[in-house]
Amino acid sequence: MSRKVIPILAEAEGEPLTGKPAWLKVRAPMSPEYKSIVNMMRELKLNTVCEEASCPNIGGCWKQGSATFMILGRVCTRTCAFCDVATGRPDPVDADEPLNLAKAVAQIGLKHVVITSVDRDDLKDGGAGHYATVIRELKARQPEVTIEILTPDFQRKPDSCLDTIMAAGPDIFNHNLETVPRLYRSVRPGARYFTSLRLLQRAKEVDANVVTKSGIMVGLGEERDEILQVMDDMREAGIDILTIGQYLRPSEKHHPVMKYWTPEEFDELKYLAEKKGFGMVASGPLVRSSFHADEVFAALKLKNAARAGSKG
């Protein structure tokens, strides 16, 4: 089925920047591991956000045998001004996807799996039932694997959608706020800031043991104080892990880059976030939601264990 691509009209105040700084330049993916994973994904009819969203870390991650799976198809029902995933009318949900994903996890030898999806506003449950099926299939076939999910916001869907997912038992519940509230209209017009924030808060209410995670991009025109306020909102919602990365413009039709934050500025944001009480913070120009996700989760568990030991 052909996919319809909806043009994105991005608006931003100020002058957009051109030309990437040196710290954002990465090598093209050419390793044997990369090619092997590409072939496997094609054979099993699986998608990755690494490819669909043009992630700059794809070469390094796939060389290390790490990939972020994107379920529920390749076509999104939303039109976000920062995202390179195609938008339009999605294909039917693939009933074989949960089993094929579990096979891929086994072939790659993953110990930590990150699963995300397109928005499926066309489905009554937003795809929640499919998420739960994927999680249960993985647990049945790969019980030692930890599972991290990065979900849509399930806006205008029943609260039971989140309940369905949490009942399947993910280890990490991730949903990205993406940017500061002021920029939602131009950057993420189909979403609402406090809807996303409440989703993350509810995940903790449904399962107190789940680790919650969220991320933002910088370089879209936000101010430093606005970022700090988002951090405060996240901590109020009980979010454990924060990721902060540089926004990179996928094409001329997307939202322009208004600023390239320096590595030193990312270090400062990390320091400030840690002071606010986040369990773990990944902050850097090339950081994305799933950036070294397994290492971040392992470090958080060690940190929590050490903290519990000191109290004992």
Side-chain angles (χ1 to χ4, degrees):
M1 181 181 293
S2 61
R3 57 182 180 176
K4 178 182 178 184
V5 178
I6 302 174
I8 298 171
L9 301 177
E11 299 178 357
E13 298 178 358
E15 293 295 323
L17 302 178
T18 57
K20 295 178 184 177
W23 59 80
L24 285 170
K25 295 178 181 178
V26 295
R27 292 183 178 180
M30 294 298 291
S31 70
E33 294 85 357
Y34 170 82
K35 295 177 181 178
S36 175
I37 292 179
V38 167
N39 292 334
M40 182 194 64
M41 294 296 179
R42 301 296 177 267
E43 291 173 4
L44 294 175
K45 299 180 180 179
L46 295 172
N47 303 306
T48 67
V49 74
C50 320
E51 293 180 281
E52 302 302 326
S54 303
C55 179
N57 301 315
I58 186 170
C61 289
W62 285 25
K63 184 176 181 180
Q64 296 173 2
S66 175
T68 299
F69 297 94
M70 189 172 80
I71 62 175
L72 293 167
R74 301 173 60 192
V75 181
C76 187
T77 55
R78 302 272 180 96
T79 309
C80 295
F82 64 87
C83 184
D84 204 25
V85 174
T87 60
R89 180 176 296 176
D91 293 332
V93 177
D94 181 4
D96 294 329
E97 190 169 56
L99 176 57
N100 287 337
L101 194 150
K103 288 179 179 178
V105 169
Q107 287 186 36
I108 300 173
L110 296 178
K111 299 301 181 185
H112 182 86
V113 182
V114 183
I115 303 164
T116 188
S117 75
V118 292
D119 280 283
R120 291 298 301 259
D121 295 322
D122 59 310
L123 301 176
K124 289 184 179 180
D125 69 348
H130 193 68
Y131 263 100
T133 301
V134 169
I135 294 169
R136 287 194 296 267
E137 187 71 41
L138 273 170
K139 283 180 172 289
R141 293 178 176 272
Q142 305 289 329
E144 75 285 354
V145 170
T146 53
I147 301 171
E148 176 174 338
I149 56 170
L150 172 56
T151 77
D153 58 11
F154 300 108
Q155 186 170 232
R156 301 187 183 91
K157 302 296 181 184
D159 286 348
S160 59
C161 293
L162 179 62
D163 298 332
T164 296
I165 290 177
M166 299 309 294
D171 297 284
I172 298 180
F173 182 87
N174 187 353
H175 174 69
N176 286 332
L177 295 185
E178 306 292 7
T179 189
V180 301
R182 177 176 58 84
L183 297 178
Y184 259 56
R185 183 177 178 183
S186 59
V187 173
R188 204 178 173 216
R192 299 293 180 270
Y193 177 77
F194 287 105
T195 297
S196 289
L197 195 64
R198 177 59 182 150
L199 180 74
L200 288 152
Q201 186 178 43
R202 277 201 66 236
K204 277 282 195 192
E205 293 171 357
V206 175
D207 182 358
N209 294 319
V210 76
V211 172
T212 50
K213 180 177 177 180
S214 189
I216 60 170
M217 302 169 288
V218 295
L220 290 157
E222 68 290 323
E223 299 293 336
R224 181 177 179 276
D225 288 347
E226 291 178 306
I227 296 173
L228 299 183
Q229 181 59 58
V230 170
M231 290 181 187
D232 288 339
D233 292 343
M234 286 183 176
R235 288 302 303 135
E236 186 68 24
I239 295 170
D240 301 297
I241 301 174
L242 169 63
T243 60
I244 309 172
Q246 172 69 50
Y247 166 65
L248 298 176
R249 192 181 197 183
S251 76
E252 291 299 315
K253 70 182 180 184
H254 290 83
H255 195 289
V257 177
M258 307 307 295
K259 174 183 175 179
Y260 287 114
W261 289 62
T262 67
E264 291 75 20
E265 288 176 309
F266 278 102
D267 287 344
E268 182 196 20
L269 291 176
K270 176 181 173 68
Y271 170 77
L272 293 171
E274 289 174 341
K275 293 285 285 184
K276 289 179 181 292
F278 287 96
M280 291 297 296
V281 181
S283 176
L286 293 174
V287 167
R288 298 296 182 264
S289 293
S290 56
F291 184 75
H292 292 181
D294 54 343
E295 297 173 15
V296 170
F297 185 44
L300 178 65
K301 288 193 292 184
L302 286 173
K303 185 176 181 179
N304 288 343
R307 185 179 300 162
S310 64
K311 290 181 179 178

